[in-house]
Amino acid sequence: MSDDIFDAIIVGGGLAGGTAAYVLAQAGCDVLVVERGNFAGSKNMTGGRLYAHSLEKIIPNFAQEAPVERLVTREKISMLTETDGVTLDYQHTQQEEEAARSYTVLRSSFDQWLMEKAEDAGAQVITGVRVDEVLVKDGKVCGVKAGDDEIEAHVVILADGVNSLLAKQLGMTQKVNPHTVAVGVKELLEFTPQQMEDRFGCTNDEGLAWLFAGAPSGGYLGGGFLYTNKNTVSLGLVLGLHNVDKFEKTVPQLLEDFKQHPVVAPLIKDGKLLEYSAHMVPEGGMNMVSELVKDGVLVAGDAAGFCLNVGYTVRGMDLAIASGEAAAKAVLMAKEQNNYSQKELSCYQSLLNDSFVMKDMKLYKDLPSFLDNTRFFTDYPQMAANVMHDLFVINGPEKPVRKKILSQVKKVGVMNLIKDGFKGVRSL
């Protein structure tokens, strides 16, 4: 082994790893980041929306220099049947304070920028290198092995994604469970500036985030998304992995059907396909959170299971950033004591518990099981479409509005509606 011992080795150059590297380097630590891809962000396919609050605390006004795509000022949620769509559309024109904003981003460029910030602060970064195993001596993690090279460190931070093989090696995470992960598939479609404005209402640097439920996921847990970038659109699906064997169609065919839906097809007509990607996504909420601390090692970001799908919004990036910051702070506290034991590093868990990360994860702990209900993706979208049809189609004598609505509610079942509503209130 080398005589040089790093304060910390970070495995993974995504947002959790990049944030941890930046915070540690800013504090003067000797930090090494090992990224398997050719550059930070090269393997990240997030759809993608960044809630600014967590990074704003670390790098104030970061959006003035970071390669963000558009400021999200419009939200849409659509319930789709095979042929119809009912959409909730919210537009806010007031400029929120920086921490309350959210931006669409493309990870390949955004992660590179964050890693460059870490390098400028003094972190060392090596790319195109896979870490094969974590080095353990006397029960304590003391570095990593990449090929024939063994590199020592006082602490290793694992930020290597949802299927963290290194965390599995240490027994810190369960084998990937189909009930706690989803498969995400995405296309990046290019449009002219005029098309971006005409079809999506994108003016200046403002943009839109749009989620779709119902038919896009084949009637099971999941949904579609559309995020507007500068001159591209991120369009795709996220589908619960445990239902894949129930789908009548393949995942690529589901994406193709989503693109051909009457609501979606006019929006993406003549879009130029620039990129196609697929990846596993953590979706289990608290049920997926791993063991976070052992002697000499911490787990952060997707590797720790920090992701939230609450139906009307999907979050992962702000949780990754905050967990990376907390991991870095825990390492700094351990360095002050020159003690990198599990007991000393357990302040990481305390930092997470005191932050929005664990508070939000615990708040929505029952939501994944609540959302795994086929009625949300079949009966309720159809009910909403039928109600709208009955309200707006005139063909003879009118019925009272209440009767129009109740007739459609009865098709779903009043008791089903009450039961699902009660469970929903409890899970939220």
Side-chain angles (χ1 to χ4, degrees), residues 9 11 32 34 131 133-135 142-146 149-153 156 158 166:
I9 293 175
V11 183
L32 174 67
V34 185
V131 173
E133 60 181 282
V134 175
L135 299 177
C142 59
V144 300
K145 183 176 181 180
D149 295 324
E150 295 184 348
I151 313 170
E152 287 188 283
V156 173
L158 301 180
L166 301 177

Side-chain angles (χ1 to χ4, degrees), residues 212-358:
F212 303 83
S217 58
Y220 294 98
L221 178 66
F225 60 83
L226 185 156
Y227 297 105
T228 56
N229 307 310
K230 287 180 180 177
N231 291 308
T232 61
V233 164
S234 297
L235 180 81
L237 299 175
V238 177
L239 307 166
L241 198 60
H242 63 293
N243 289 319
V244 167
D245 62 337
K246 301 174 187 175
F247 294 142
E248 297 178 359
K249 302 174 182 177
T250 64
V251 172
Q253 186 59 53
L254 285 170
L255 178 59
E256 195 60 34
D257 290 351
F258 177 46
K259 291 167 58 181
Q260 297 303 319
H261 192 280
V263 172
V264 179
L267 298 172
I268 63 171
K269 182 181 179 183
D270 299 326
K272 180 182 178 182
L273 179 61
L274 299 182
E275 178 185 300
Y276 179 95
S277 55
H279 205 272
M280 282 196 300
V281 182
E283 287 265 305
M286 279 299 295
N287 292 327
M288 196 179 178
V289 173
S290 68
E291 185 178 357
L292 300 175
V293 185
K294 277 191 173 182
D295 287 344
V297 64
L298 306 168
V299 187
D302 279 4
F306 294 141
C307 188
L308 279 173
N309 179 354
V310 298
Y312 58 88
T313 189
V314 180
R315 293 168 52 194
M317 287 189 271
D318 62 325
L319 299 169
I321 290 166
S323 66
E325 179 191 23
K329 288 182 175 180
V331 172
L332 292 174
M333 293 178 189
K335 185 180 180 182
E336 287 182 2
Q337 303 300 320
N338 193 29
N339 181 349
Y340 302 92
S341 67
Q342 180 176 359
K343 181 178 180 180
E344 193 66 34
L345 290 171
S346 64
C347 59
Y348 174 49
Q349 182 74 64
S350 300
L351 289 166
L352 290 172
N353 289 340
D354 291 339
S355 75
F356 73 90
V357 176
M358 294 306 293

Side-chain angles (χ1 to χ4, degrees), residues 71-83:
L71 172 67
V72 177
T73 58
R74 193 173 185 184
E75 318 273 355
K76 287 191 175 188
I77 300 175
S78 291
M79 291 183 290
L80 303 183
T81 67
E82 294 293 337
T83 57

